Amino acid sequence: MKRVMYFPSRYIQGPGSIEEIGLHASSLGDCALAVGGKTALSICGAAIETSLSAEKIRCHQALFRGVSSRKEVDRLSELARSHGANIIVALGGGASIDAAKAVAHEMNLPVIVVPTTVATDGPGSALSVLYTEEGVFESYLYLRKNPDCVIMDTSIVAKSPAKFLVAGMGDAVAGFWETDTFSRSGKTKSFSGGQVPTLAVLALSRLCYQTLLESGYQAKLAVEKQVVTPALEAIVEAITLHSGLDSENGGHAGAHSIHNGLTALPATRGKLHGEKVAFGLLAQLVMEGRTSAEIREVQDFCFSIGLPISLSELNLPDPTPEEIWLVAETAVAEGETIHATWIPVTAAMVEAAILTADALGSEYRKRQGPG
């Protein structure tokens, strides 16, 4: 079995980093299509155009329509062709970045990723998640390469709603446990031709987890005050770089599959990716028979920063047995990452884990009291 690591070509982080995008784009092409939502374009569209123009790079803007779907990828690809774009700039949050990375993949173009939030650990990955037009998980699109550049301007992140940083921590906290599962199982990532995690990935995974536990709450407070602090810088790096490399080179397991199952329920679609992944992680830990102390550590972290630890916090206060079974069946579909664990997994096992994780979360909240 081979050991492989995949990286974005460049990673830049710090206040004002967006002003350097022209420098990093100058070796990639001379015409960019910047894809982002209305908020992302309003926040940094002008700064990007100014920096690109200084390097004599033309720039066109394309408004992302909200869902990373095959239809949206095709529409944006046609816009890129019509403008003669030879660079894609992916702006905003997880969905718009996924769609723009997919466009670059389809057109075989370089891509620069500029997150305006850190709601997921996916900016640097060679992966886009595609959904149906209704927002239901459809498939993973494995890209031919990682982004050419990721630019994390922490002064922009500090002004984004804190809920996005919290969701990013939910995505990242699952990384350590999913990579641990993947490593213990001895299985390989079949899509890459078969690989096992490197020692570097295992170390990054542990560093990411420790950083989240140590600095996560402080970073949340910093964003609530819209300021950049060492704790925020540490958490942005942990989510975007450490967890991103962990996810890319370690492997997903039950948490992300249970997230995919939860997207089948309309009530959860208003919740962010990382919020559903966090609860999925708790269910994964139950399913795998992890210790009470390990589960409690994750509950403590999630509770401290405001991540869901029960189904009611995912807009499912009283789910029917049929709804839970639908989530479980979807989570164990062929090809889902939940099968990366060391035991054969069935829908009945996932159903039991979800119900138990929910009960544990509800009891935890009762012990904390109304405050």
Side-chain angles (χ1 to χ4, degrees):
M1 293 184 287
K2 61 186 177 183
R3 298 172 184 266
V4 180
M5 279 199 74
Y6 300 93
F7 299 84
S9 298
R10 296 184 184 185
Y11 179 84
I12 300 96
Q13 177 182 316
S17 296
I18 189 67
E19 297 169 9
E20 300 176 8
I21 189 171
L23 172 66
H24 300 293
S26 60
S27 62
L28 301 176
D30 60 7
C31 182
L33 181 73
V35 177
K38 183 177 180 180
T39 300
L41 289 171
S42 67
I43 289 171
C44 55
I48 287 172
E49 287 202 10
T50 298
S51 182
L52 292 175
S53 178
E55 299 293 334
K56 298 181 171 50
I57 300 171
R58 291 175 291 125
C59 182
H60 305 276
Q61 296 186 4
L63 182 65
F64 174 63
R65 291 182 176 175
V67 179
S68 176
S69 64
R70 172 53 60 185
K71 181 178 179 181
E72 180 67 352
V73 171
D74 290 343
R75 183 187 73 85
L76 292 169
S77 297
E78 185 54 39
L79 278 176
R81 290 188 193 94
S82 68
H83 288 300
N86 50 26
I87 310 170
I88 303 297
V89 178
L91 306 176
S96 60
I97 288 172
D98 274 355
K101 288 196 299 182
V103 171
H105 171 78
E106 297 292 334
M107 299 185 67
N108 198 20
L109 296 178
V111 61
I112 299 174
V113 178
V114 185
T116 54
T117 68
V118 283
T120 76
D121 61 10
S125 73
L127 175 74
S128 285
V129 184
L130 299 180
Y131 296 85
T132 66
E133 290 296 303
E134 294 72 35
V136 179
F137 170 78
E138 185 172 84
S139 64
Y140 293 118
L141 175 64
Y142 297 107
L143 313 178
R144 63 176 55 86
K145 65 182 181 67
N146 297 79
D148 298 85
C149 184
V150 177
I151 299 176
M152 289 299 317
D153 190 322
T154 44
S155 61
I156 293 175
V157 172
K159 293 179 174 59
S160 65
K163 68 178 182 179
F164 293 121
L165 183 76
V166 169
M169 288 192 276
D171 201 17
V173 75
F176 168 73
W177 296 101
E178 290 190 296
T179 291
D180 182 69
T181 291
F182 197 85
S183 179
R184 287 192 189 195
S185 73
K187 296 180 179 178
T188 63
K189 297 181 78 167
S190 59
F191 73 83
S192 63
Q195 70 183 67
V196 295
T198 63
L199 295 178
V201 167
L202 298 179
L204 274 174
S205 176
R206 169 62 69 178
L207 175 61
C208 178
Y209 187 61
Q210 291 173 337
T211 302
L212 290 167
L213 298 185
E214 292 168 4
S215 301
Y217 182 66
Q218 273 196 54
K220 177 191 175 185
L221 296 180
V223 170
E224 288 176 346
K225 297 298 183 182
Q226 298 191 345
V227 294
V228 178
T229 65
L232 178 60
E233 292 282 8
I235 289 300
V236 169
E237 182 180 334
I239 295 171
T240 312
L241 186 60
H242 303 168
S243 182
L245 290 172
D246 180 17
S247 175
E248 184 82 346
N249 298 285
H252 289 163
H256 277 80
S257 289
I258 293 168
H259 159 275
N260 294 342
L262 287 165
T263 66
L265 303 182
T268 71
R269 292 176 198 160
K271 293 296 181 177
L272 296 170
H273 170 84
E275 293 174 315
K276 288 174 278 195
V277 169
F279 179 78
L281 170 61
L282 291 166
Q284 173 191 322
L285 298 178
V286 169
M287 185 190 75
E288 293 176 347
R290 303 284 187 162
T291 68
S292 295
E294 290 171 326
I295 294 171
R296 179 60 181 263
E297 183 174 70
V298 175
Q299 283 183 316
D300 286 343
F301 173 73
C302 290
F303 183 80
S304 73
I305 64 170
L307 283 167
I309 59 173
S310 66
L311 290 172
S312 64
E313 297 162 82
L314 293 173
N315 297 332
L316 295 169
D318 191 23
T320 66
E322 292 76 17
E323 287 176 320
I324 299 300
W325 186 251
L326 174 60
V327 173
E329 279 197 315
T330 305
V332 299
E334 184 178 356
E336 272 292 346
T337 56
I338 200 167
H339 300 296
T341 191
W342 57 84
I343 52 177
V345 178
T346 66
M349 291 167 62
V350 178
E351 176 190 44
I354 290 172
L355 293 173
T356 303
D358 178 51
L360 288 171
S362 298
E363 286 299 316
Y364 184 105
R365 286 206 169 272
K366 286 179 183 177
R367 289 195 299 272
Q368 303 306 314

